[in-house]
């Protein structure tokens, strides 16, 4: 059994900052990639940022220069530092990871954390 648990969402004013955290737990053998997706009301889920096991990072164009993804492999954790937040960043943010457990290798998702950017 593998779980991803996110934290750190909330309400912030435009221009503000938030830091999302996601920790993986369970019968983990190895973690390949970890990343963040988001889904705004009425829109499809989209990639925000991802970090591969080789340390290569990818960002959506809309967040480049404002968001930073980082990993702590010792804690099986991934973080998303979000600065200069805009109202259009409002969405539910989901942690995603490619994990090999004792039982299977697959794609895992967290339950989501709400980020609201509003004055």
């Amino acid at each position: 059994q593998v779980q991803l648990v996110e934290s750190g969402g909330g309400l912030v004013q435009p221009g503000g900052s938030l830091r999302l955290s996601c920790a993986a737990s369970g019968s983990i053998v190895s973690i390949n990639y970890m990343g963040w997706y988001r889904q705004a009301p009425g829109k499809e889920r989209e990639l925000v940022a991802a970090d591969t096991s080789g340390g290569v990072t990818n960002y959506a164009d809309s967040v480049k220069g404002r968001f930073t993804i980082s990993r702590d492999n010792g804690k099986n954790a991934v973080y998303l530092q979000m600065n200069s937040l805009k109202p259009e960043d409002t969405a539910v943010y989901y942690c995603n990871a490619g994990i090999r457990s004792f039982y299977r290798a697959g794609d895992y998702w967290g339950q989501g954390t709400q980020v609201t950017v509003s004055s």
Side-chain angles (χ1 to χ4, degrees):
Q1 189 84 1
V2 173
Q3 287 187 318
L4 297 179
V5 178
E6 301 121 331
S7 61
L11 173 64
V12 64
Q13 292 186 342
S17 298
L18 281 175
R19 185 175 187 249
L20 304 183
S21 300
C22 171
S25 62
S27 54
I28 297 170
V29 174
S30 62
I31 299 178
N32 182 7
Y33 56 85
M34 299 189 83
W36 294 92
Y37 284 71
R38 67 186 180 188
Q39 187 166 20
K43 295 187 177 181
E44 293 186 354
R45 191 173 295 191
E46 62 174 358
L47 173 69
V48 177
D51 186 313
T52 68
S53 61
V56 176
T57 56
N58 296 307
Y59 293 92
D61 288 343
S62 59
V63 307
K64 284 181 181 177
R66 300 188 298 121
F67 291 10
T68 303
I69 188 171
S70 61
R71 283 175 67 172
D72 185 333
N73 292 326
K75 295 182 178 180
N76 290 333
V78 64
Y79 309 96
L80 186 67
Q81 178 66 43
M82 304 185 293
N83 298 328
S84 303
L85 282 160
K86 304 175 181 180
E88 50 264 43
D89 295 318
T90 296
V92 178
Y93 284 70
Y94 297 91
C95 179
N96 170 251
I99 296 175
R100 178 181 296 277
S101 74
F102 290 138
Y103 308 103
R104 73 176 185 95
D107 205 37
Y108 290 85
W109 292 88
Q111 80 285 357
T113 185
Q114 177 70 47
V115 172
T116 302
V117 185
S118 175
S119 55

